[in-house]
C-alpha cells in the first residue's frame, strides 16, 4: 500500500489547502466538481476526482446511441477537458475508511507497478459512485445476458442485433434463424422500454436492406415482473405505451419473470419458451459495492443515509447524492419519502451539494435540498414518445420532441449540445447508418489471426471404429 502524493502545505508559510476527494465521475461527481472549480477561491481547496472511466456518460442518450442516431463519443463527456482545474485519477475506489480519512484506490497502473492500491487522504469526502446493474440468480444470465448501462454495452448491443440479422439472413437452419431474430428484453423501466423501442425501430428500418428478412419475421419480447411499465409517467401513459408497443407487434408480458436463459432458451414464469440469442437485462440497479466496504451508515437498501443538506447522517465531512444516497424528499406529502435515484434529482443535488460544501468551508449557512418532481419523458423510437409533465399527459410526436429538447438542454457542455444537435439534423436529412462494427469489441483478432499463420485447416474426421468380435 502506498500513499498518494498531495500538495497539502507544500509552500512554506502558506496555510494548507482543504483536500476535497470526489469518488465517482457520473452526474453528481462531475457536476459537483464543475461547480466547485468555478466557485472556489484561489488556494482555498484542491479537488480530486476518482473515476473508473475518464468520462461521464449521459445515460438518457444510450438508446439513441444504440440505434445509431447519436455517435457514441457524443454521449460521453471527457472529465479532463471539463474539469481542467481538478486532479483526475482514473481508478476504482475499493475501500473507504472515513475514521482515518482515507480511500483505497486501484488505478490502471497498480497492477504493473506491483505496489498494490494507493491510499488517498482527504479532508472532505463526496461520495457519488452511482449504481451497478442489479442481477438475479437466473440460470444462464451471466453467460448470455447483455446489460444496458454503459456506452460500451449500448454499442455492443447495436452491433449484436445487426449481427443476428446477418446470421438469420445467411443460415439455412430454420431454428437458428428463428433464435437469431428473437430479442428478449427484461425490465419495463426507462432503460428497457427506451432501448427496446429504439432498437426495434432501427432493426425494422434495417430489414429493408435484407432480401430475405421482413420486419414481421422478427420477434421482440418485453418481460416485466410488475403489472405495469414506465411507472414514472403514470398509469395512463403506461397503458398507452403498452398499446403502442403491441401495435408494433412487440410482445409485452406483464407480471412475468425470466426463470432461465440456459442453452439460449429464455424460459418465462408463465411457461413460455423462446429460443433466442439475445437477452437484454435492464431489471433495475443497486448501490455501488464500495458503499459496503466503508464505515459510513447505510439504510436497508444499501444506500447511504443522508440528510436534506446532502451530508451523510451522523458523520462530519462526508457528503453524498445521486444513486448512492438516500436523500429525504422534503417536498413530498408522505413523511419519510426519499428522492428517486434519477438524473433529474442527481443534477440538482450536485449543485446544492457543491454550494453546501463551500458554505461549510466558509462557516456559512447550509441549504436543504428541495425539488418537487416535475415529471418524466420517454422515447419509444423515432417520432414516438410519452411524457407526464406537471400533471399533463403528452404522447406521440410532441412527447418525442419534448424528450429530445429536454435532454439536449441537460447534456453537459455547449460542445456536446452542438454536436448532438448537428447529428440529429443530419439524421433527418440522410438515411440511417445500419453498419455493424462488431470487430471493435475484439480489435486484435485480425492481427492475432495473421500472426498465428492464418486460419488453421479443419481437423480430419475421426477414424471409424474398428470391427469388434469379428464383425465387420
Amino acid at each position: 500500500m502506498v500513499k498518494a502524493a498531495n500538495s497539502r502545505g507544500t509552500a512554506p508559510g502558506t496555510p494548507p489547502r482543504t483536500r476535497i476527494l470526489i469518488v465517482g465521475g457520473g452526474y453528481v461527481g462531475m457536476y459537483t466538481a464543475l461547480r466547485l472549480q468555478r466557485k472556489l477561491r484561489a488556494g482555498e481547496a484542491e479537488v480530486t476526482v476518482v473515476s473508473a472511466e475518464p468520462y461521464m456518460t449521459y445515460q438518457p442518450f444510450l438508446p439513441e446511441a444504440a440505434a445509431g442516431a447519436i455517435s457514441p463519443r457524443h454521449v460521453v463527456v471527457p472529465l479532463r477537458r471539463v474539469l481542467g482545474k481538478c486532479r483526475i485519477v482514473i481508478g476504482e475506489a475499493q475501500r473507504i475508511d472515513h475514521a482515518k480519512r482515507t480511500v483505497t484506490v486501484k488505478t490502471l497502473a497498480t497492477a504493473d507497478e506491483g505496489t498494490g492500491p494507493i491510499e488517498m487522504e482527504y479532508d472532505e469526502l463526496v461520495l457519488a459512485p452511482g449504481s451497478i446493474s442489479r442481477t438475479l440468480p437466473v440460470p444462464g444470465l451471466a453467460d448470455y445476458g447483455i446489460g444496458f448501462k454503459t456506452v460500451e454495452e449500448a454499442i455492443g448491443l447495436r452491433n449484436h442485433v445487426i449481427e443476428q440479422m446477418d446470421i438469420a439472413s445467411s443460415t439455412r437452419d430454420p431454428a437458428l434463424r428463428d433464435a437469431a431474430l428473437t430479442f428478449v428484453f427484461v425490465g419495463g423501466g426507462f432503460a428497457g422500454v427506451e432501448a427496446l423501442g429504439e432498437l426495434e425501430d432501427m432493426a425494422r428500418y434495417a430489414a429493408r436492406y435484407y432480401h430475405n428478412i421482413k420486419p414481421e419475421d422478427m420477434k421482440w419480447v418485453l418481460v416485466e415482473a410488475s403489472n405495469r411499465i414506465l411507472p414514472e409517467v403514470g398509469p395512463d401513459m403506461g397503458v398507452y405505451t403498452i398499446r403502442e408497443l403491441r401495435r408494433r407487434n412487440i410482445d409485452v408480458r406483464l407480471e412475468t419473470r425470466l426463470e432461465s436463459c440456459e442453452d439460449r432458451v429464455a424460459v418465462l414464469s408463465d411457461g413460455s419458451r423462446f429460443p433466442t440469442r439475445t437477452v437484454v437485462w435492464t431489471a433495475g440497479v443497486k448501490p455501488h459495492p464500495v458503499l459496503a466496504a466503508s464505515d459510513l451508515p447505510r439504510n436497508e437498501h444499501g444506500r447511504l443515509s443522508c440528510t436534506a443538506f446532502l451530508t451523510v447522517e451522523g458523520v462530519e465531512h462526508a457528503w453524498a447524492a445521486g444513486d448512492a444516497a438516500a436523500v429525504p424528499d422534503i417536498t413530498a406529502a408522505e413523511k419519510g419519502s426519499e428522492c428517486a435515484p434519477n438524473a433529474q434529482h442527481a443534477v440538482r443535488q450536485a449543485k446544492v451539494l457543491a454550494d453546501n460544501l463551500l458554505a461549510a468551508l466558509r462557516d456559512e449557512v447550509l441549504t436543504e435540498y428541495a425539488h418537487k418532481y416535475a415529471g418524466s419523458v420517454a422515447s419509444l423510437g423515432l417520432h414516438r414518445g410519452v411524457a407526464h409533465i406537471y400533471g399533463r399527459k403528452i404522447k406521440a410526436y410532441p412527447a418525442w420532441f419534448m424528450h429530445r429538447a429536454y435532454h439536449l438542454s441537460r447534456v453537459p457542455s455547449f460542445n456536446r449540445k452542438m454536436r448532438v444537435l448537428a447529428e440529429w439534423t443530419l439524421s433527418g436529412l440522410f438515411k440511417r447508418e445500419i453498419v455493424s462494427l462488431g470487430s471493435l469489441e475484439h480489435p486484435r483478432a485480425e492481427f492475432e489471426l495473421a500472426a498465428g499463420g492464418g486460419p488453421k485447416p479443419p481437423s480430419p474426421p475421426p477414424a471409424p471404429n474398428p470391427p469388434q468380435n469379428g464383425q465387420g
Side-chain angles (χ1 to χ4, degrees):
M1 184 80 68
V2 298
K3 290 192 175 183
N6 63 75
S7 59
R8 187 172 177 83
T10 54
T14 302
R17 294 188 293 173
T18 300
R19 298 165 298 180
I20 302 173
L21 180 61
I22 301 176
V23 177
Y27 290 106
V28 174
M30 193 203 74
Y31 277 108
T32 300
L34 186 62
R35 193 166 183 84
L36 286 173
Q37 77 172 8
R38 287 174 180 170
K39 303 188 76 171
L40 279 169
R41 299 165 185 160
E44 186 175 16
E46 59 181 11
V47 180
T48 301
V49 179
V50 175
S51 175
E53 304 292 346
Y55 51 77
M56 185 275 268
T57 303
Y58 192 73
Q59 293 185 348
F61 280 159
L62 288 184
E64 292 206 49
I70 301 177
S71 172
R73 65 182 183 276
H74 298 158
V75 178
V76 299
V77 181
L79 295 178
R80 297 188 189 278
R81 174 186 290 179
V82 176
L83 305 177
K85 297 181 181 179
C86 301
R87 178 189 175 204
I88 308 298
V89 177
I90 305 304
E92 183 179 352
Q94 295 184 315
R95 187 168 62 254
I96 298 171
D97 190 341
H98 190 64
K100 295 181 179 179
R101 302 289 194 273
T102 61
V103 174
T104 303
V105 180
K106 179 182 178 181
T107 69
L108 296 176
T110 51
D112 293 333
E113 291 174 343
T115 55
I118 63 175
E119 196 173 79
M120 304 186 69
E121 298 177 339
Y122 62 85
D123 299 306
E124 300 285 343
L125 174 67
V126 178
L127 266 175
S131 57
I132 62 174
S133 296
R134 176 176 60 86
T135 59
L136 298 176
V138 176
L141 182 62
D143 298 319
Y144 301 111
I146 303 173
F148 196 79
K149 191 167 174 57
T150 67
V151 66
E152 293 86 358
E153 289 174 330
I155 303 309
L157 181 57
R158 169 187 169 82
N159 292 334
H160 175 81
V161 169
I162 297 177
E163 184 180 81
Q164 298 312 302
M165 297 180 70
D166 291 335
I167 292 173
S169 176
S170 58
T171 185
R172 291 175 289 180
D173 184 345
L176 176 58
R177 173 187 167 90
D178 183 61
L181 294 179
T182 300
F183 307 94
V184 178
F185 286 68
V186 183
F190 275 114
V193 172
E194 290 193 328
L196 171 60
E198 293 284 354
L199 284 166
E200 189 274 339
D201 205 24
M202 182 271 293
R204 185 161 21 85
Y205 175 87
R208 68 181 66 182
Y209 299 104
Y210 290 83
H211 71 282
N212 57 351
I213 295 180
K214 299 178 181 179
E216 52 267 26
D217 295 337
M218 293 181 282
K219 185 181 300 181
W220 299 81
V221 184
L222 177 63
V223 180
E224 169 55 38
S226 69
N227 60 357
R228 60 175 180 166
I229 64 174
L230 293 182
E232 295 88 351
V233 299
D236 292 342
M237 288 295 95
V239 171
Y240 167 80
T241 302
I242 293 174
R243 189 165 61 246
E244 170 68 16
L245 294 178
R246 286 174 174 168
R247 189 182 65 80
R248 291 158 60 177
N249 293 323
I250 296 174
D251 188 356
V252 181
R253 303 287 182 103
L254 300 179
E255 298 182 306
T256 307
R257 298 180 308 278
L258 178 67
E259 298 285 355
S260 169
C261 56
E262 288 183 306
D263 302 322
R264 296 191 182 276
V265 178
V267 181
L268 307 185
S269 59
D270 62 3
S272 303
R273 299 172 60 89
F274 294 99
T276 178
R277 298 168 60 88
T278 308
V279 175
V280 183
W281 183 267
T282 62
V285 296
K286 63 181 180 180
H288 195 281
V290 73
L291 302 185
S294 74
D295 54 353
L296 298 171
R298 296 177 294 143
N299 66 6
E300 63 275 13
H301 301 296
R303 300 167 71 193
L304 292 172
S305 300
C306 294
T307 69
F309 299 104
L310 302 177
T311 60
V312 177
E313 192 171 1
V315 179
E316 294 182 343
H317 309 294
W319 311 76
D323 290 357
V327 179
D329 187 356
I330 62 177
T331 66
E334 185 179 350
K335 190 176 181 180
S337 298
E338 296 177 355
C339 295
N342 57 34
Q344 185 177 147
H345 281 298
V347 173
R348 290 171 173 83
Q349 287 173 357
K351 177 181 177 181
V352 176
L353 191 157
D355 289 345
N356 280 348
L357 179 50
L358 289 171
L361 294 179
R362 299 166 183 171
D363 294 323
E364 298 173 354
V365 179
L366 276 61
T367 304
E368 289 186 318
Y369 172 74
H371 172 67
K372 191 173 180 62
Y373 192 61
S376 300
V377 291
S379 171
L380 304 178
L382 189 63
H383 299 162
R384 303 180 182 92
V386 291
H388 192 200
I389 306 295
Y390 295 111
R392 297 190 62 183
K393 303 167 186 175
I394 308 170
K395 57 188 179 182
Y397 183 88
W400 171 83
F401 182 82
M402 185 176 294
H403 173 271
R404 283 199 163 185
Y406 173 78
H407 287 300
L408 183 65
S409 70
R410 296 301 173 185
V411 68
S413 82
F414 181 77
N415 180 302
R416 282 296 177 271
K417 294 182 197 302
M418 291 300 100
R419 289 179 181 273
V420 170
L421 183 59
E423 288 197 309
W424 281 342
T425 303
L426 291 174
S427 65
L429 298 175
F430 301 99
K431 295 181 179 180
R432 289 191 185 197
E433 293 291 346
I434 59 167
V435 64
S436 167
L437 298 176
S439 59
L440 290 176
E441 300 167 31
H442 307 285
R444 296 189 64 250
E446 186 70 21
F447 182 78
E448 289 174 349
L449 181 64
K456 297 180 180 179
S459 56
N465 294 328
Q468 296 181 2
N469 299 330
Q471 298 178 357

